[in-house]
Amino acid sequence: MIRILKEAETNRAAIFAREDPVGSVEEPVRAILEDVKANGDAALKKYTKEFDGADIPTVEVGMGAIDDGFRNADPFLVDILYRAAERVAAFHQHQVRNSFLVNEESGVVMGQKIIPLERVGLYVPGGTAAYPSSVIMNCIPAKLAGVKEIFMVTPPDKNGKVPANILAAARICGVNRVFRVGGAQAIAALAYGTESIPKVDKIVGPGNQYVAEAKKQVFGKVGIDMVAGPSEILVIADGKNNPQIVAADLLSQAEHDKNASAVLVTDSEELALAVQAAIEEQIPKLKRAEIARASIDNNGKIIVANSIGTAIDIANEIAPEHLELCIDEPFAWLDKIKNAGSIFMGRNCPEALGDYFAGPNHTLPTSGTARFSSPLSVDDFVKKTQYTYYTKEALSVAQQSVSHFAKQEGLTGHARSIDIRFDPNVTGE
């Protein structure tokens, strides 16, 4: 049963504690990475057999199989995928940056170029569930950024097949190539390259703790979006809410993973008790009831605060992945929110809307990293470089300042690189 904690009577450590997955996977992940780096496709096939129970004749899913998947996917879902992709694109289009040039001084030109990454790898989770929504959320911003090659890796089922709905989403979004491998071994393939999978510039997309650890270990060899932890939701709700609805919103994340966390912060003890009872009523009705039960019992909590203002302070301290503001006048409180991956405003905006259809990205910072990081966006798929141009006359204006600055730092070679251009013994002028 979910715990109820009264903020005024509870140790802060209990309120803000996050449960970490038990056990370190650092060493087994390192071994997998090294194996794939050394043995390529053979290692991928071995681990796919070991972890997914599938014998795969080839690592890549051919275009014919992708077309078959599209044709065999649920037709109503295909229509929804098209519309969801359009909405995600419409939102992320506003994130597209332009290069700029500055020429405000005589003889001086400065600028910044926005350059798309050449090749990115999308990790799409599988295993306990298939997520075509992850294809949309990871691929669309990359397309808008101008990435030339987008590769997708995802675990196959025991027959070595990628679910039709995943393949349909890949085709709709414009994924260039699809590979039926998952786990740490897929991350290794994208980072180092194998006979079948070319290495990429950046890897994005959430996964389990093995995937997260693998991304962490290959960072530096390739870029990554983030090291994602278990899914989490925090709902701020006043006493006017329907407890059945609040309970349903909490369980929408609890069903993801046994390590997921669902937190309610409310100023109403009556609502707290009613939501606690509603959760117990609803869990047995879920298809993934066992997972939700473990999440709620181990990581769930209801915090009773003395006011909505205090509730928001608690939310800022926790910095949740998903934050629902189920309160009157949510926009009046929006500026008070400092740390959250994505905010859902009002009583009619469940987090699940953002997972599938609203438009903003659902790949979000977890584990409190919303304090310093952001949702996946077009910015994740570009790099920026800058350039500077000075005429001889413009450099002469800056010479004394730059030379003196360099000498103050003890870097006489820096100073000389400026001064030598005005030494007549060198230039002959």
Side-chain angles (χ1 to χ4, degrees):
M1 179 177 288
I2 196 167
R3 297 166 291 163
I4 296 179
L5 308 174
K6 293 184 179 180
E7 184 267 337
E9 303 172 4
T10 304
N11 184 285
R12 286 179 61 84
I15 290 176
F16 299 116
R18 270 187 170 91
E19 297 294 330
D20 292 325
V22 177
S24 171
V25 298
E26 182 177 347
E27 289 308 318
V29 165
R30 181 173 286 110
I32 291 171
L33 296 180
E34 290 301 320
D35 192 3
V36 173
K37 186 177 181 180
N39 298 303
D41 283 0
L44 294 180
K45 292 177 181 179
K46 177 184 72 175
Y47 290 122
T48 302
K49 175 65 173 176
E50 180 180 347
F51 298 134
D52 301 307
D55 285 309
I56 54 172
T58 60
V59 173
E60 186 166 4
V61 177
M63 290 305 299
I66 295 174
D67 290 341
D68 287 344
F70 180 81
R71 285 190 292 268
N72 294 329
D74 175 72
F76 185 43
L77 178 63
V78 168
D79 179 63
I80 294 169
L81 290 173
Y82 271 115
R83 289 187 289 133
E86 289 173 357
R87 295 178 68 86
V88 171
F91 177 84
H92 287 78
Q93 181 65 49
H94 294 283
Q95 298 171 340
V96 175
R97 293 175 179 262
N98 295 313
S99 300
F100 65 80
L101 181 147
V102 179
N103 185 17
E104 296 177 349
E105 299 176 63
S106 178
V108 177
V109 178
M110 297 174 287
Q112 177 175 276
K113 286 182 62 179
I114 304 297
I115 306 170
L117 301 182
E118 289 286 319
R119 182 185 292 156
V120 300
L122 315 181
Y123 188 91
V124 176
T128 59
Y131 298 106
S133 58
S134 288
V135 182
I136 294 173
M137 296 295 178
N138 286 283
C139 187
I140 295 294
K143 278 288 184 183
L144 289 171
V147 174
K148 290 183 179 178
E149 292 185 289
I150 301 173
F151 299 161
M152 185 181 88
V153 293
T154 190
D157 63 21
K158 293 189 182 302
N159 296 315
K161 305 289 187 182
V162 174
N165 292 341
I166 295 286
L167 295 176
R171 178 169 155 175
I172 288 168
C173 294
V175 172
N176 298 102
R177 298 172 71 181
V178 177
F179 303 94
R180 51 187 153 197
V181 290
Q185 61 271 23
I187 301 301
L190 292 172
Y192 303 123
T194 72
E195 298 91 330
S196 296
I197 304 179
K199 63 182 178 180
V200 301
D201 300 315
K202 190 168 189 175
I203 302 169
V204 303
N208 63 19
Q209 65 185 118
Y210 287 86
V211 171
E213 177 62 31
K215 287 170 68 177
K216 182 178 178 182
Q217 290 191 27
V218 301
F219 176 63
K221 177 68 176 178
V222 293
I224 63 171
D225 52 348
M226 63 188 76
V227 178
S231 188
E232 53 194 29
I233 185 171
L234 189 149
V235 178
I236 294 177
D238 57 29
K240 299 177 184 178
N241 283 273
N242 183 318
Q244 293 287 338
I245 293 174
V246 174
D249 286 2
L250 294 170
L251 290 172
S252 72
Q253 292 307 292
E255 72 172 355
H256 261 298
D257 185 333
K258 292 180 179 181
N259 294 312
S261 67
V263 178
L264 167 64
V265 189
T266 179
D267 61 350
S268 168
E269 188 170 354
E270 181 181 355
L271 180 71
L273 291 167
V275 169
Q276 184 185 55
I279 288 173
E280 292 304 302
E281 177 187 335
Q282 291 183 28
I283 286 179
K285 301 175 182 178
L286 298 177
K287 183 178 180 180
R288 295 162 66 88
E290 182 183 354
I291 292 172
R293 166 55 65 196
S295 169
I296 288 296
D297 289 352
N298 297 331
N299 305 318
K301 65 184 83 167
I302 297 174
I303 303 166
V304 180
N306 60 19
S307 67
I308 293 300
T310 300
I312 286 176
D313 290 340
I314 292 170
N316 281 328
E317 185 78 14
I318 292 175
E321 178 188 16
H322 306 101
L323 173 63
E324 288 189 9
L325 290 181
C326 298
I327 54 178
D328 289 335
E329 304 295 337
F331 283 94
W333 294 94
L334 182 58
D335 285 347
K336 301 292 184 183
I337 303 297
K338 304 301 181 185
N339 302 319
S342 193
I343 307 170
F344 301 86
M345 309 285 287
R347 307 185 204 280
N348 301 301
C349 192
E351 181 278 330
L353 184 65
D355 273 348
Y356 300 111
F357 201 70
N361 211 281
H362 81 191
T363 302
L364 304 169
T366 62
S367 306
T369 58
R371 293 181 295 108
F372 53 81
S373 56
S374 307
L376 191 75
S377 72
V378 172
D379 285 344
D380 287 287
F381 299 98
V382 299
K383 57 186 178 180
K384 309 171 189 72
T385 191
Q386 56 196 29
Y387 57 89
T388 308
Y389 168 79
Y390 270 59
T391 63
K392 183 72 175 287
E393 292 74 18
L395 182 61
S396 69
V397 175
Q399 177 195 0
Q400 185 177 7
S401 297
V402 177
S403 179
H404 185 73
F405 205 149
K407 290 172 183 175
Q408 288 299 306
E409 291 192 344
L411 299 175
T412 55
H414 281 59
R416 180 165 173 74
S417 74
I418 297 290
D419 295 337
I420 197 171
R421 286 171 162 77
F422 300 95
D423 184 344
N425 295 322
V426 174
T427 64
E429 296 177 359

